Amino acid sequence: MISRKTTFILISSALLLLNGCQSQSPQATQTSLNPAESKSKPNESSGNNQSNSLINLDNFLVEVSKRDNIPLNILKDAFTDIKPQASARKLVSPPISSTKKNWRGFRKNFIEPVRLNAGQKFWEDNRAFLEKTEKETGVPAEILVGIIGIETMYGSNMGNFPVRDVLVTLAFDYPPAPNKEARETMFRGQLEDLAVYCWKDSQGKQTAFKTCLKQSSSFAGAIGMPQFMPTSILKYAKDGNGDGVIDLRNNSEDAIASVASFMVGHGWKRNEPIFLEV
C-alpha cells in the first residue's frame, strides 16, 4: 500500500522527469509556424518571422540528416504536415499571478483516493517485477510506483499533444521570454533526439517513423507512462520485459525499469535517506 507520507515525499522527485520543461516567462501572444495562418491573423506575428521559422526548420532537418544518418527525403516528408501548437506555447508561459502558492492545496491533487487506489492496483499487478527492480537497482518500489502515479496516473493521462508538432513549435516559435534562446536550443535538442529515437524504433520504415513522431505527449513533449522527454528516452529507457522493444506507453515493466534507470542515472544511492528533516 502506498502511504500518505511516501506519496508526499515523491512529488518533488517526480518533477525531475520533465527536465525543466516549464519557463518563468509571462504569457505571450500566440503565433504560428504556418504562413497561411499568419496571413489570416496579421496581428499575431510578422510574415518575415514565420518565414524565418520555416527556413530554420528546413536547415535544422538538413543538419539532423547529416549528423544522424537519417535520409533527408524521408526526414523532410515526415515534417511536411506540421500543425503549430498554439496552446502549447501558451501553456509553457505560466500566467502572472499574485496568488500565493499553496503547498497543501497542490498536495491534495496527488494524495487522493482515486490515485491511491490506482497505485495499489498497479503495485499488486507488478509486484514481482517491482521487487526484482528494487533488488537490482536499489530504487524502492514505493518510489517507482509513486513517480508513475504522479506523472500519468499509471498511464491513464499521457497527454494529447502530437509530440513532433509540440517540439517544432517550441524549438522555432517559443513565446517571448528572457530565456527564449536557451529554451529554443533545448527544445531543438529534444526534437533531434525524437527523430533519432523514432528512426531507431521504426527500423527505417517510413510510415512507422512518421507514426512515432506524431505520437501523443504532454504540452512540453514528454512521452509515455513516466513522461520522459526524448533525450531521456535515448539515455535511460529500458526494455524491462526483455521482448526487444521499449514501450513506455503500454508496457508497465518497461516504464518501471526506465524510471529506475533514470533515478540511478541521476545519482540515486542505495539505502541512503530520501529526504532530510529541516
Side-chain angles (χ1 to χ4, degrees):
M1 178 176 178
I2 304 174
S3 71
R4 300 176 81 84
K5 181 177 180 180
T6 298
T7 308
F8 171 81
I9 293 166
L10 292 180
I11 292 176
S12 296
S13 300
L15 297 178
L16 290 171
L17 297 179
L18 292 178
N19 285 339
C21 286
Q22 289 190 348
S23 73
Q24 299 302 313
S25 60
Q27 279 188 304
T29 302
Q30 298 175 16
T31 60
S32 169
L33 285 167
N34 187 331
E37 185 173 333
S38 68
K39 289 179 182 178
S40 64
K41 300 178 181 180
N43 292 329
E44 291 189 351
S45 61
S46 71
N48 287 338
N49 287 341
Q50 302 310 325
S51 297
N52 288 338
S53 294
L54 292 171
I55 291 171
N56 290 339
L57 173 59
D58 191 64
N59 291 338
F60 171 80
L61 295 178
V62 172
E63 294 171 3
V64 169
S65 176
K66 292 178 180 177
R67 277 196 298 263
D68 304 306
N69 297 314
I70 303 174
L72 183 58
N73 63 318
I74 292 178
L75 196 56
K76 284 189 173 183
D77 177 73
F79 281 78
T80 55
D81 56 347
I82 293 292
K83 295 181 179 179
Q85 301 296 302
S87 55
R89 293 181 79 252
K90 183 177 181 180
L91 287 167
V92 298
S93 302
I96 298 174
S97 175
S98 59
T99 304
K100 186 177 181 180
K101 294 181 179 180
N102 186 305
W103 167 251
R104 293 183 183 276
F106 179 76
R107 182 175 181 263
K108 287 180 181 178
N109 292 331
F110 297 96
I111 303 178
E112 41 82 33
V114 173
R115 196 179 303 267
L116 294 175
N117 290 336
Q120 290 176 340
K121 184 179 187 306
F122 183 86
W123 200 330
E124 286 299 322
D125 290 345
N126 297 281
R127 181 176 294 278
F129 189 76
L130 284 163
E131 292 175 353
K132 175 177 177 290
T133 302
E134 178 176 342
K135 183 177 180 180
E136 292 175 351
T137 67
V139 184
E142 60 266 27
I143 298 293
L144 301 171
V145 174
I147 287 175
I148 295 173
I150 289 169
E151 292 296 345
T152 60
M153 184 82 115
Y154 308 100
S156 65
N157 182 13
M158 294 185 282
N160 57 6
F161 290 82
V163 63
R164 177 203 62 179
D165 297 0
V166 163
L167 293 179
V168 168
T169 300
L170 300 180
F172 298 101
D173 196 15
Y174 198 85
N179 60 350
K180 174 182 170 72
E181 183 176 349
R183 299 298 283 175
E184 287 190 336
T185 298
M186 185 276 288
F187 279 111
R188 282 195 292 272
Q190 295 295 339
L191 182 60
E192 179 169 0
D193 283 344
L194 175 69
V196 172
Y197 157 63
C198 286
W199 185 245
K200 291 180 179 179
D201 187 64
S202 66
Q203 299 180 337
K205 297 177 182 178
Q206 189 169 358
T207 301
F209 177 55
K210 195 166 187 176
T211 298
C212 177
L213 289 171
K214 296 172 73 174
Q215 66 182 287
S216 61
S217 73
S218 72
F219 67 83
I223 295 169
M225 290 187 205
Q227 291 289 273
F228 273 15
M229 296 296 288
T231 299
S232 291
I233 294 177
L234 289 179
K235 288 184 178 180
Y236 305 111
K238 298 293 183 182
D239 175 16
N241 66 350
D243 65 353
V245 177
I246 297 175
D247 182 359
L248 299 182
R249 305 190 67 82
N250 305 296
N251 191 289
S252 58
E253 292 184 354
D254 289 359
I256 290 166
S258 297
V259 171
S261 171
F262 182 97
M263 299 300 284
V264 171
H266 282 78
W268 184 272
K269 302 298 182 184
R270 187 187 298 267
N271 297 326
E272 286 192 3
I274 61 176
F275 75 100
L276 299 174
E277 296 285 357
V278 176

